[in-house]
Amino acid sequence: MSSGNDPHLPQHKVSTSSFADVFKTLATGRHKQSLPPSGPDSSGDFINNVVEGRRGSRVSFGFDPMRGSLVSNASDNASGPDFEVSLKNMQQRQSLSVAADEAENVSKFLYKFTPEQSITLWEAAAHLIHEDGPVDVRNRGCRLLEAVARRQDLPIVARRSLYESISRPTSSDVIHARVNALILLSDHGRKLDFAIDSSVLLMISSCIVPLYERLAAARSKARKEKVPRTTYDDTNLGDLLQFVVDIITLQRHPAGDSEIEMLLNQVFTVCRRTSIAADIKNSLAIFDAIILYADVPDGSFKDLMEVLCSIHASVKSLSGPTSRAVRNLAKSRRQEKMVNLLHSLLEAPENLARNSNVTRGAIYVFTDLVRAYGQEDLPQVSFARLTESLKIVGKKDGRIEADILELVLSILEGDFAHVALREKDWSEFIGLLMFCCRRVVNDQPDYPLQEYLKIPPHPRNNILDDIRSNILASVARISASFESLWDQMNDQQKTETVKFFMVIYQHLTPSQARLLLSLVRTRRLCFPDHPDWASHSRHLIRCFLLSDQPSNIRILALEILKESLFNIESPTQNEPLLELLLEDFSDEDDPVYLESLVSFVVDIAVCDNLVFGSILEKLISPMNKDFRNNDNLASRHGSATINLEQSLSNICSVGLVTLFLRSMNISSTKTALLFETFLGLVCVAERPSDSRLTILKLLSRLRCDSAGSVMVVSAPESDYLVATPSRTVDTTSKQSSSTSSVSPEYNSGAEEALVAQASRLSIKESSTAVSMPISMHKSTSRISSSQIRTAKWTPLVWASVGLKALPEEPPGSPSPCICAYMPTDLSSQASDSELETKESKIALKVNLWLETIIALLQREADWDVYSFILVHLAQQLSNRDFFNNAIPQVKLLRSILCDQIKSETFREPPGLSGAKKADVAICIFESLAVLISYHEHFAKSEQDELVRAFMLGIIGSWDGTSRGCIQALSVCCHEIPLSVTKSLIGILDKMSKVITMSNLAVHILEFLALLARLPDVYVNLREEEIRTVFGICVRFLQTSREQRHRPSESSVSRGDSMPTRLSGGVREMASYTQPEPSDTFRQDEISRYVYSLTYHVMIFWFLSLKLQDRANHVNWITSRLVFTDENGREVVEEQSQVFIDFMQRVAYSDLGDTIPFETFPPSPDHGPAAKKSWIVGMSIITIETAGVSGLTQITKRQASGTTFATYQQRTTPALPHQVPPTPDAHSLSDTLNRTAILPYHVILQMTSTAFPMPQVMQPIPLPDNDITRRAINSFDRKDIVDGHKIGVIYIDKGQTAEADILANTRGSADYECFLTGLGTRVALRAAQFNTQGLHCDSDGEYTYAWRDRVTEIVYHIATMMPTDLNTDPGCVNKKRHIGNDFVNIFFNRSNLPFNFETIPSQFNFVNIVIGPVCQIADREFTQIESMEAADFSRQFYSVKVMSKPGFPELSPAATPKVISGKNLAAFVRILAMNASVFSLVWNRQGGEHVSSWGNRLREIKRLRERFSGSQTPFPDPSEGSYLGSRRNTKQNNPYPDESSRAVLPTDFSTDWNAAAENNIFQNLDFSRWSR
């Protein structure tokens, strides 16, 4: 058995060479004999089994049959030797070779000799093995000895003689033969009758060491020479040792102590020298046999224990047999001595100089005893004594920690745990554990119990990995055992166990760590009321917060620390702990824990000013893990990337943003410092994108109220732009793709919902597309089919689904601590408390923020950051007061953006972003549109440059910018009209070049309609330039006409136009964008609106012409209103007929509305009246004549209006010699100038001469009956202008409920000023206009209305309607008007976002929401009442048009626009009017919307068709009367045949074609008459 002082290895591994030989021996050991296996508790039967095994070992393995067969073969092949000859030959000592040969021969045929002869022959040959001679001679003698001993028929005398020969000493190479002969002679120990006077054990004992030494030499030689084991017999020693076992177990009388002691000494020698497991195993069998069947002598007991301990420690493969021997010894009478000896082996200092395996083996023996605790006859082991012994040996030998831990594990896992639990004080036990774990425990300088336990530091020598792993495995199992016993422990045991857990914190499972932390929290070890709370807290920080514990455990520990720190009265005590806690903050790499840590330190920083600076420094420090991963991430994905896992720096940024939100209402200094810190962080390009974006999300949501106080809005209103730079293509989703491509509205939902529509291609050009937007044609044409099939475009990081914009809801009120600017008049108006607030207020450096934005727009390389700035800049700029102190930066921003548009130097989006450069341009134009509101700070040249920038967006290098630029120019017309005037010719020229783009038709026409009402803007247009406007309109009419009259061709062309330019996957993608059936209705309504709006624009612009120039355009316009249909006929549409009718009325007159006499004739002096009506062309002419004065009132009813005129022929006085014209004249006074005329005279004077007139051109008289009168009265009731009703609702502070809003009876001063700009205050009583359902008795005495030559608007103003909350608490009377208005204007001063469903109604299609650009400060609610009207003109308001879901958003204010109070009413009025017109078109419910002029035209046509067949060539005298009496009342008709001829009725089309004479244009061009 090998010895040494090397540290042992784990149980499953042997490191020394001797141990390797042991395993090698086990693998290739003796195969003739083997010990039968037995269980651990079958030691009593073990020896019997061994004996039986030994008896049959040779038979089982075939040795005896093999030898018998050799003899048999010899007898068969030759006759046996002669006895005498053999005897003589073997007696020859001079010739040993002859004797040896004869012995060899005799051994083969010994069975032919009698027993006596056999023993005689051996006695003659005995000298062969006892005398020195050649080895071969001795070997042949040995074979003869074994042959003789094998004979079972030898008499007792012969056997004694043979035993005496065997007992005589010989050379070592003969010992094995002597042993085999003795085994054969005794029949494996059963027959020892030949050894009466001598001890067989002594003889055998004397052979053990010599035989082992010879065998060891052979083994050593074989190892050195690397020869196989077959060169020597390795079984001889095993046979000998097993024979000893047989003798001890089978003999009737136990051996004496001297014999056993000698035997044990020999076996001890073998055990200490051998490295072969088989030798040790056979030795263990001897030990076990002695223990069971004999008795261990006192002198050998200690040595036996040491050998057993050494075997136990060094030969792990024999742990079973060793344990059996140990347990059998423990059950013997020496069990108490055995336990004491084991303790002495652990405690005695001399053991340290011995083989360390003895000490380790003693521990293993205790382990066996502990595991067998509870079995009968085993000794009791004291837990306290065992702990003390282990502690002593542990301190003296630091290499046995793993063995001690294994023993401890056996204590805790088995029944012995109950013994341990009965021990109240576990301090020594836990101290022992902590000592043994010191090799695997990191140094803990703040460990509070270090000094108490006096644990020495672990040695610094190299520890083998397997030893460390073994200790770690034991520590883990011990911890699990403690966890299972936790509920059975008392408080002191738990406390001590927690100390152990705190030492091995790195190796605890989460459940064990929770036990520890729970006890720490329960015992309040880290709370200030504990004497060692600071030390415990430091240990908690180092062990759990600065370690690699699981996230949930670290978070639990952090909660305990948080409870502790928030119970500290003195804030200065926090600083050391926080400094320790944040010591390695930059190296933290656990995002889950980091979130909790950041939240924790933010809570502290909010309330503790002393540590605010240090916490801020940590939070802004770069996280090392992020910077290590930056290069790899960029190399894999480029600049346009999305990583759903947030960076560690972003977690810190979230904490900083949270700190800002919580500090802004309590500390101006902190907030200002954080603001300036943010400005620096967003410019650090090395920081992860999401970290910078989190800060930008806060900065972009900063606003101020009307008093300058800063606030944070939870959701900016720039959602409509979110999808612009993040659009993607999804070729697998037909539904989403087709919907987005034709949808005319913006999605105003949350950012997440907008970006989730991944198939969106463009949100700017899709709003009014009758066919596919041009932008899509261009964008898809640049993409190959393979790219669409394989590319996965990357959405924006900041717009990903599920990401929160802000970590928590911002404060609901403006900050009392920080402001965007310091109001100059605050001191004169504020109270004392407000003055104190002013002193503590700090104005944020907003100018630096704007400079940061400019720098990012110019130099930022990260697409996510750049795109975020672009999208959110416009909305923040709309909060004008926020940038009150940054006007130079605003001007610089305008200059840079205009230059980027002009030179196209803004950034190109990355390829995988799915965005185009046009998308960037869209966002830039949105910002420029907001910058219009800053025009008062711009020079005239800068305003001009702004307009020119928008001109570049109408038609240029980018798709999708046209709409926004046209709408921005609409604002410019109000805000900077002089700049628009300067560039108006160029604007119209660019619009004329994009008139073929149907998706821009609405926006161009609405712009032209607005422009026509602003004569100061178009004042410089010349006649030929104005014709450009008519050209644009005519082109729209032609396009609309083509689509309506050739729908099939149009749909085919739309379906084929784009795919013919594409191939493969692109063609497939394009096919998905074809309109769905539901979109066809929408496109049709938009087309009708474009058609109707086009004529409105032409009407407005024709009126805008100078009177002397109007006729010059008639010919050009009329020629283009006539078109040829599919049958080749010239056609003039109904709307064109109305427009021509309108031109006839206004081409040569600027008269306003005319009025008739209230009664005709105006006085009785004029005589009785005669009245007659005719249909003349497309007009109704009514002539009333006074019979005396000849005064005539002519009423001409046309589609575009009714004209009243007077006509009177003046007659000269009658000459004296003049004969009276009629007999009646003699009855009249000579002084009266008589004018006797009938209505027919007037009509003839105006329409007829002697020149022939075609019948279709002749006036058609209308019969004077009830039908005619009813028809004319009905016609007169039709409005001569298009009427619109628009609701106006005022929302006061904090109002959200419908009833509260409608109950308002008055509004703010700026609201009242806004109403005066919308229209004129008019009385409803005896109103001479269409009040649109308002009645003075129920809806108030007054309202506001507005009218021009074409349109009339009556406002349903809720505040001007009666309010009686007692009888009508829900204001239903108001709701019946407001709820039925297609368009409502909401003047929102509630300081709350407006909800479209605030006043729900089926018919409310459009809500125009007006609100101040800044939230109204509380003091402003009272001060604004005293402001003058001039003050409101300098205010700015945000105007947003919100549409009902499914209703197209076509308005210029579909995206919010900022308008000054001066132009607010005019801008909103045109928005409301256009929205109302489209609502009327939209709500036709399957029918047709016809304008008032169109209705009048149709009524005239119906009358003409009805009465065209009842003409009479001569008048009926009964229809008029003369003065005096008639002698003959019958009509004079010289042509009776002609008068009685009936005229066939005709329809209007027939009359039209007959009058046109195949040349409609020539017949309609009335301007030729004035040339």
Side-chain angles (χ1 to χ4, degrees), residues 410-469:
S410 300
I411 292 174
L412 298 176
E413 287 184 341
D415 294 338
F416 198 78
H418 301 292
V419 178
L421 290 172
R422 287 196 293 268
E423 185 70 32
K424 302 300 183 182
D425 187 0
W426 272 14
S427 58
E428 296 296 329
F429 177 58
I430 297 300
L432 172 65
L433 287 180
M434 290 189 289
F435 168 80
C436 294
C437 297
R438 72 191 193 281
R439 290 183 183 269
V440 295
V441 176
N442 293 334
D443 292 334
Q444 296 297 325
D446 294 307
Y447 178 44
L449 304 176
Q450 187 91 24
E451 182 177 356
Y452 170 73
L453 295 174
K454 303 185 185 303
I455 298 178
H458 64 77
R460 289 298 179 182
N461 58 320
N462 295 330
I463 304 175
L464 295 178
D465 291 339
D466 51 0
I467 296 179
R468 179 181 176 86
S469 63

Side-chain angles (χ1 to χ4, degrees), residues 361-416:
I363 297 174
Y364 291 162
V365 171
F366 272 121
T367 302
D368 289 337
L369 296 178
V370 167
R371 288 175 179 172
Y373 175 78
Q375 297 181 11
E376 294 182 1
D377 300 329
L378 285 177
Q380 297 296 321
V381 178
S382 170
F383 176 74
R385 175 75 185 279
L386 178 60
T387 301
E388 182 64 26
S389 298
L390 293 175
K391 189 172 183 180
I392 293 173
V393 71
K395 292 181 178 179
K396 295 177 180 179
D397 188 352
R399 297 171 294 178
I400 57 175
E401 296 95 336
D403 303 321
I404 296 177
L405 293 176
E406 186 69 23
L407 172 55
V408 172
L409 184 61
S410 300
I411 292 174
L412 298 176
E413 287 184 341
D415 294 338
F416 198 78

Side-chain angles (χ1 to χ4, degrees), residues 28 107 144 286 773 915 972 1020 1164 1241 1253 1257 1265 1338 1456 1513 1554 1571:
T28 59
S107 63
L144 179 60
I286 294 175
C972 292
N1020 292 336
H1241 172 74
M1253 179 184 294
M1257 300 294 296
N1265 53 30
S1338 59
R1571 295 173 185 169

Side-chain angles (χ1 to χ4, degrees), residues 718 814 887 959 1033 1508:
S718 55
I887 298 305
D959 301 333
C1033 295
S1508 62

